[in-house]
Amino acid sequence: MDVLHYLTGEFAGQPIWLWLSFLGVIGFLLWLDLGVINNHDAVISPAKSALMWFGFASLAGLFGLYVAYVYEPDPRYYLSPNNLNQQAVIQYFTGYLLETALAFDNIFVISLIFTYFAVPREYQHRVLFWGIIGAIVFRAIFISAGAAVVNSWTWVLYFFAAFLIWTGWRMLTSNGGHEMNLADNGVLKFVRKHMKVTDRIENHNFFVKQIDPKSGKLATYATPLFLALIMVEGADIVFAVDSVPAIFAVTRDPFIVYTSNIFAILGLRSMYFMLAAAVERFAYLKYGLSLVLVLIGVKIIWNFGLSKELGWAPYLEPHWALIGTLSLIGGAILYSLIRTRKRPAAT
């Protein structure tokens, strides 16, 4: 009875069994990925990467149907008590698209990390896989904290709005590329100072046993694959600083926030091998992303300030954010592909 009482209890407006069921499905998908489909070290071709992305995107779409017809939204997280499922499914797909677009920039950074540590292509999927595990945990922490803050003090959304507008403007006016000075990275310096690290990659292991030249005894050494994993996790945390405020600007429902985030991350990592070799073809994507951030920030001020508080403007329904995000991201991708069509893909 205690277990049943626990499972039927609520967390963030939804029964605990629903959260555990979702995590169980994600765990099964990850086991299927590494344990069955990619259980051997091999270079994942762009075609296989595209199929993997299509599979995860299809599951994200099916989950959207669940949100539309089965899910029971908590009215506390929605401005209108009418058509809750319609609001929830629009917010879910907007959040999924937004998180996918924002996380897209992560592909550039991951590519630089793998290049710096000279990670062989046949081992890159293993690093990305364990990176997903960390992302699932860290996003849960960020989103839980964000939900507690936003739903306790709604006015915090105005700070989110200002942050998103500032971030979008900074991205729009920045002339810098995706440069990283990993040689001076503080986290890497800390790890190298407190752990034994080898520069050799002999297999897919994150740690290896070898003789310590100082003591002459067998010791455990971290490999460059482990260092790459740490940096991938760090990059995801940095990107979460932008993406979590952005998704809470779309929806305050923690379950929708988390599920759209996780499906976007799963799709991103499966897309990596499809897009990593052609990152230069998306040279103008950052402009679309920056305008999306500004759009979401302005939407917060419009809906919560001008519409709800002051009554000076009509309320912008969630589907307008979805249309705007689709238009800006789609336009930026299309413009990038047209402008860079004569450039050779990166190798």
Side-chain angles (χ1 to χ4, degrees):
M1 290 297 293
D2 290 338
V3 174
L4 182 62
H5 178 73
Y6 172 77
L7 293 176
T8 55
E10 285 194 358
F11 175 74
Q14 294 300 322
I16 292 176
W17 67 261
L18 182 59
W19 290 94
L20 295 178
S21 298
F22 176 76
L23 291 176
V25 170
I26 297 302
F28 172 76
L29 292 175
L30 293 177
W31 170 81
L32 195 65
D33 182 352
L34 192 65
V36 179
I37 300 176
N38 298 296
N39 59 348
H40 298 292
D41 295 327
V43 176
I44 295 181
S45 67
K48 185 176 182 179
S49 177
L51 286 175
M52 291 169 59
W53 172 82
F54 179 77
F56 283 122
S58 299
L59 290 173
L62 289 175
F63 189 81
L65 294 178
Y66 166 81
V67 173
Y69 296 106
V70 181
Y71 181 61
E72 297 181 2
D74 189 328
R76 291 180 298 169
Y77 303 126
Y78 297 86
L79 292 179
S80 172
N82 302 319
N83 301 319
L84 288 177
N85 283 85
Q86 181 180 351
Q87 295 181 65
V89 72
I90 292 175
Q91 291 177 7
Y92 166 76
F93 280 115
T94 303
Y96 172 72
L97 176 64
L98 177 62
E99 289 300 312
T100 299
L102 292 177
F104 194 100
D105 211 35
N106 213 347
I107 290 178
F108 296 84
V109 176
I110 292 173
S111 178
L112 291 174
I113 292 172
F114 283 161
T115 300
Y116 178 81
F117 290 106
V119 177
R121 293 185 64 193
E122 60 267 26
Y123 301 149
Q124 291 178 4
H125 178 265
R126 184 177 176 83
V127 176
L128 291 176
F129 172 86
W130 289 107
I132 289 176
I133 302 295
I136 290 174
V137 175
F138 286 120
R139 290 300 173 101
I141 295 173
F142 272 91
I143 289 169
S144 296
V149 171
V150 169
N151 292 305
S152 297
W153 302 289
T154 307
W155 52 266
V156 172
L157 285 172
Y158 293 116
F159 287 95
F160 282 2
F163 176 74
L164 291 173
I165 293 172
W166 175 77
T167 302
W169 175 254
R170 183 188 61 183
M171 188 186 299
L172 190 65
T173 57
S174 173
N175 294 322
H178 297 82
E179 298 180 359
M180 295 181 67
N181 188 8
L182 290 174
D184 293 328
N185 185 273
V187 175
L188 286 181
K189 287 183 177 180
F190 178 85
V191 172
R192 286 189 167 115
K193 182 179 179 180
H194 293 84
M195 294 182 66
K196 299 181 187 299
V197 178
T198 177
D199 293 329
R200 298 172 60 186
I201 300 178
E202 298 180 355
N203 50 43
H204 67 211
N205 293 330
F206 294 114
F207 297 93
V208 294
K209 294 280 189 180
Q210 62 183 46
I211 300 296
D212 184 348
K214 293 182 179 180
S215 65
K217 298 180 179 179
L218 198 63
T220 301
Y221 280 74
T223 70
L225 293 183
F226 179 72
L227 300 183
L229 175 61
I230 289 177
M231 296 312 301
V232 168
E233 296 288 7
D236 184 74
I237 292 174
V238 171
F239 278 96
V241 173
D242 286 341
S243 68
V244 170
I247 189 65
F248 273 109
V250 172
T251 176
R252 293 166 55 197
D253 188 332
F255 189 73
I256 298 298
V257 172
Y258 188 65
T259 53
S260 60
N261 253 266
I262 298 307
F263 276 119
I265 292 172
L266 290 173
L268 166 75
R269 300 298 162 91
S270 62
M271 272 198 303
Y272 174 79
F273 300 96
M274 180 174 60
L275 299 176
V279 291
E280 298 303 324
R281 293 296 310 274
F282 301 92
Y284 299 94
L285 179 60
K286 77 165 190 174
Y287 299 108
L289 294 176
S290 64
L291 291 176
V292 167
L293 292 177
V294 173
L295 171 68
I296 298 300
V298 170
K299 179 178 176 290
I300 294 176
I301 297 174
W302 183 285
N303 276 355
F304 287 91
L306 299 180
S307 179
K308 183 179 179 181
E309 299 293 337
L310 300 176
W312 291 354
Y315 177 78
L316 292 178
E317 297 295 336
H319 65 268
W320 290 114
L322 177 58
I323 293 173
T325 302
L326 274 171
S327 301
L328 290 171
I329 297 301
I333 291 176
L334 181 61
Y335 184 73
S336 295
L337 294 176
I338 293 174
R339 289 296 301 270
T340 61
R341 63 186 181 278
K342 294 183 180 179
R343 298 182 189 178
T347 57

